[in-house]
Amino acid sequence: MARIIVVTSGKGGVGKTTTSAAIAMGLAKRGHKTAVIDFDVGLRNLDLIMGCERRVVYDLVNVINNEATLNQALIKDKRCDQLYILPASQTRDKDALSTEGVGKILEGLSKDFKYIVCDSPAGIERGATLAMYFADDAFVVTNPEVSSVRDSDRMLGILSSKSRRAEKGEEPIKEYLLLSRYSPDRVKLGEMLSVEDVQEILSLHLLGVIPESKSVLNASNSGTPVILDEQSDAGQAYADIVARYLGEDKPHRFIEEEKKGLFGKLFGGK
Amino acid sequence: MSISPPPLQKVALEFKSTSLTVPVLLLASTDLTHIQHQLQEKVAQAPEFFKHSPLLIDLKKLNDQELDIEVPALVALIRELEFLPIGIRGGTEKQNYAALALNLPVHSMHGTNAPINNNPTTKTLAVPEVHNEQLPEQSVENKLITQPVRSGQRVYAKGDLIVTATVSAGAEIMAEGNIHVYGTLRGRALAGVLGDTESRIFCSDLQAELISIAGIYQLSDDLDAEIAHKPVQVSLENQTLIIKDI
């Protein structure tokens, strides 16, 4: 059986799709057969971030409506043969999704895949609730600012009450916090919530901190999941996150300001 | 109370259970004249209070001493004094039967605290004591929450509510009784929502958006910064919320 991961946040623009692409690629690169599904029907983005936008023939809604088979709709990644992308439909809206339809797709994928990453749309409406309904694990992507934290908190409430696991009274969804666009300098200046602040509010297991990084935008624009940019801090942060998710013990990075050097540390402290 | 058969349309009624506080008349004498006399005296002290007051007749004390009393005569006497008897308890089979014949319900003694300091030799009428009459099928439903209460979630407890985690901003917790929060309280907390002014809110860190006891509320804007980050209790005194350290 596949493990179903939902990447969610409530708020838009916090880095769900970037995270979905990076995590899926990270898992696949470690040899786990992984599918990543775009649930943002009508506002399709994942194909761009994954760099496969010119190879989309069929999409999620086609499969739900039995207009195409799963195998026809799945796009194999050119960089990693363990990774497949199921794009969203750009011409439809979220009402095209049904619980049965999504259930059927996930069941079909579960036979072949080890991990299924569901890229949730923003909001708490149909697309988002369906993306998380069947999940086993939830990656809650949060930016270090109050509105994002509150929306994540709201999403966590929905995860714990409206998922299949909750409805069936099974073991609850495992929830992980991914703090993205983190900037230690700005935290120090008091312009941003710190890791501790966010954890205090959300009381959630921290899977990793992704620093604010130019490499993310570059990666998005070039259609390359940022995890493939091994030199970048964001790429390394995602690699750490995948490792931690798979049970490895990696110390947290990117939480503290970059070291100033010995003299800076001794005398430059404010 | 008679209930006519429900018409075959939309929901016209629903059954709910409730618990009320009614005075209980504990009888210690079978002498009707004696009883009448003393009841009149009591009524004279507070005529408005007793007028049309519901009354539960408790015969246990008498029956413990195997003293029989005529229920119909007793009920007639009580009604004459403008009490409204709503049932008997602690009666014998015969007395229960007589009560039912008068359309008076028979209550069980279950779950009631019987008087302790009764002196069998004194033949006086006990003062009608205010007694919390509880129906046997009811129990106070306290609720324990061990997971964080997230923004947008609502929790309601029919009794006390105990949360061992945090309550997030935008969450709402309500209880008919007391509220205990052993994490940070950032959402709204409403205790005694049915009007119990004795209920309280206890929490280990009060940063609530709103706190309320029996409808009297206070917003976070009005909270003193001094009380944050330490355990406090909130109680209601003279229609004012009092926040104190524990």
Side-chain angles (χ1 to χ4, degrees), chain A residues 13-58:
Chain A
V14 294
K16 285 183 294 297
T17 304
T18 301
T19 300
S20 298
I23 298 295
M25 179 60 86
L27 289 167
K29 289 242 299 172
R30 283 169 166 257
H32 303 295
K33 200 172 176 190
T34 304
V36 54
I37 309 176
D38 190 352
F39 274 82
D40 206 345
V41 177
L43 290 167
R44 177 170 93 194
N45 278 164
L46 182 69
D47 53 327
L48 288 171
I49 309 290
M50 295 297 298
C52 65
E53 72 276 12
R54 290 191 291 175
R55 294 197 286 144
V56 176
V57 183
Y58 295 110

Side-chain angles (χ1 to χ4, degrees), chain A residues 138-142 152-153 156 159 174-178 198-207, chain B residues 148 150:
Chain A
F139 287 9
V140 180
V141 184
T142 306
S152 294
D153 194 42
L156 286 161
L159 283 168
K174 277 209 184 90
E175 302 153 343
Y176 301 95
L177 174 65
L178 275 71
V198 177
Q199 269 194 294
E200 221 246 311
I201 298 171
L202 292 179
S203 15
L204 206 59
H205 177 72
L206 180 71
L207 198 59
Chain B
R150 302 291 184 183

Side-chain angles (χ1 to χ4, degrees), chain B residues 33-47:
Chain B
T33 341
H34 201 161
I35 291 170
Q36 186 181 20
H37 209 75
Q38 293 205 358
L39 259 183
Q40 272 168 342
E41 274 174 28
K42 286 283 167 206
V43 173
Q45 285 169 13

Side-chain angles (χ1 to χ4, degrees), chain A residues 150 153-158 160-161 175 197 200-204, chain B residues 147-153 166 168-170 184 186 205 207 209:
Chain A
R150 175 174 290 186
D153 194 42
R154 177 84 171 102
M155 204 64 222
L156 286 161
I158 294 170
S160 63
S161 60
E175 302 153 343
D197 292 339
E200 221 246 311
I201 298 171
L202 292 179
S203 15
L204 206 59
Chain B
Q147 295 293 315
V149 184
R150 302 291 184 183
S151 186
Q153 290 186 316
T166 58
S168 293
T184 308
R186 294 195 180 88
D205 187 355
Q207 301 177 26
E209 294 170 337

Side-chain angles (χ1 to χ4, degrees), chain B residues 16-194:
Chain B
K16 284 200 166 169
S17 59
T18 181
S19 77
L20 336 149
T21 304
V22 292
V24 178
L25 183 65
L26 293 165
L27 288 177
S29 163
T30 54
D31 186 345
L32 286 177
T33 341
H34 201 161
I35 291 170
Q36 186 181 20
H37 209 75
Q38 293 205 358
L39 259 183
Q40 272 168 342
E41 274 174 28
K42 286 283 167 206
V43 173
Q45 285 169 13
E48 280 309 307
F49 180 77
F50 287 113
K51 192 174 182 183
H52 298 154
S53 164
L55 202 59
L56 182 65
I57 305 163
D58 192 326
L59 302 173
K60 186 170 184 294
K61 216 165 164 182
L62 290 181
N63 288 317
D64 284 349
Q65 301 166 58
E66 299 188 357
L67 294 170
D68 193 21
I69 189 163
E70 284 296 320
V71 173
L74 175 67
V75 169
L77 182 157
I78 288 169
R79 286 212 167 115
E80 203 174 297
L81 290 168
E82 294 196 278
F83 285 98
L84 297 171
I86 58 156
I88 71 161
R89 70 176 187 194
T92 61
E93 211 170 306
K94 190 182 133 225
Q95 287 167 335
N96 289 348
Y97 195 77
L100 286 174
L102 292 164
N103 288 333
L104 275 185
V106 176
H107 297 271
S108 73
M109 292 296 285
H110 175 79
T112 61
N113 39 343
I116 322 153
N117 59 341
N118 50 353
N119 187 347
T121 52
T122 50
K123 299 213 166 194
T124 51
L125 188 73
V127 187
E129 70 174 32
V130 173
H131 190 92
N132 196 5
E133 170 64 9
Q134 225 169 33
L135 299 173
E137 67 268 24
Q138 287 184 308
S139 60
V140 179
E141 287 171 49
N142 296 331
K143 200 176 252 181
L144 173 67
I145 307 281
T146 55
Q147 295 293 315
V149 184
R150 302 291 184 183
S151 186
Q153 290 186 316
R154 302 178 89 190
V155 180
Y156 189 95
K158 282 183 169 295
D160 286 4
L161 177 63
I162 301 136
V163 183
T164 58
T166 58
V167 177
S168 293
E172 197 167 76
I173 55 172
M174 290 176 284
E176 289 174 18
N178 305 305
I179 290 178
H180 306 253
V181 180
Y182 296 102
T184 308
L185 171 58
R186 294 195 180 88
R188 296 165 165 237
L190 297 92
V193 285
L194 293 189

Side-chain angles (χ1 to χ4, degrees), chain A residues 29-242:
Chain A
K29 289 242 299 172
R30 283 169 166 257
H32 303 295
K33 200 172 176 190
T34 304
V36 54
I37 309 176
D38 190 352
F39 274 82
D40 206 345
V41 177
L43 290 167
R44 177 170 93 194
N45 278 164
L46 182 69
D47 53 327
L48 288 171
I49 309 290
M50 295 297 298
C52 65
E53 72 276 12
R54 290 191 291 175
R55 294 197 286 144
V56 176
V57 183
Y58 295 110
D59 57 50
L60 180 65
V61 175
N62 292 136
V63 182
I64 287 179
N65 294 340
N66 291 318
E67 294 154 3
T69 64
L70 259 179
N71 284 334
Q72 285 175 305
L74 283 170
I75 302 169
K76 190 175 183 177
D77 190 85
K78 282 185 173 168
R79 293 149 297 205
C80 179
D81 60 1
Q82 296 291 311
L83 180 61
Y84 290 79
I85 300 114
L86 181 55
S89 171
Q90 183 71 345
T91 53
R92 310 293 285 271
D93 61 34
K94 266 101 181 161
D95 294 332
L97 298 174
S98 65
T99 311
E100 302 76 42
V102 172
K104 191 186 71 183
I105 286 178
L106 292 175
E107 199 181 312
L109 290 173
S110 286
K111 289 175 194 144
D112 285 342
F113 288 88
K114 181 89 185 290
Y115 291 102
I116 302 169
V117 179
C118 301
D119 179 23
S120 170
I124 51 172
E125 280 78 36
R126 194 177 186 81
T129 48
L130 275 176
M132 65 88 190
Y133 183 76
F134 296 96
D136 301 305
D137 299 311
F139 287 9
V140 180
V141 184
T142 306
N143 287 171
E145 48 101 13
V146 285
S147 62
S148 174
V149 171
R150 175 174 290 186
D151 290 359
S152 294
D153 194 42
R154 177 84 171 102
M155 204 64 222
L156 286 161
I158 294 170
L159 283 168
S160 63
S161 60
K162 292 195 178 141
S163 64
R164 181 180 60 171
R165 283 173 173 267
E167 283 175 9
K168 291 198 165 178
E170 293 170 1
E171 196 190 324
I173 295 177
K174 277 209 184 90
E175 302 153 343
Y176 301 95
L177 174 65
L178 275 71
L179 200 56
S180 60
R181 312 192 70 166
Y182 195 75
S183 166
D185 306 356
R186 299 188 64 191
V187 171
K188 203 170 179 191
L189 292 170
E191 297 172 351
M192 222 178 228
L193 295 176
S194 69
V195 178
E196 293 77 32
D197 292 339
V198 177
Q199 269 194 294
E200 221 246 311
I201 298 171
L202 292 179
S203 15
L204 206 59
H205 177 72
L206 180 71
L207 198 59
V209 174
I210 304 111
E212 172 84 74
S213 166
K214 285 176 186 156
S215 57
V216 172
L217 190 60
N218 291 338
S220 297
N221 287 337
S222 65
T224 318
V226 71
I227 198 167
L228 293 176
D229 183 356
E230 286 165 12
Q231 302 303 311
S232 71
D233 44 3
Q236 291 171 18
Y238 278 116
D240 283 4
I241 285 168
V242 171

Side-chain angles (χ1 to χ4, degrees), chain B residues 188-211:
Chain B
R188 296 165 165 237
L190 297 92
V193 285
L194 293 189
D196 181 4
T197 52
E198 295 298 305
S199 52
R200 291 183 180 199
I201 298 170
F202 304 86
C203 72
S204 48
D205 187 355
L206 181 69
Q207 301 177 26
E209 294 170 337
L210 180 147
I211 45 171

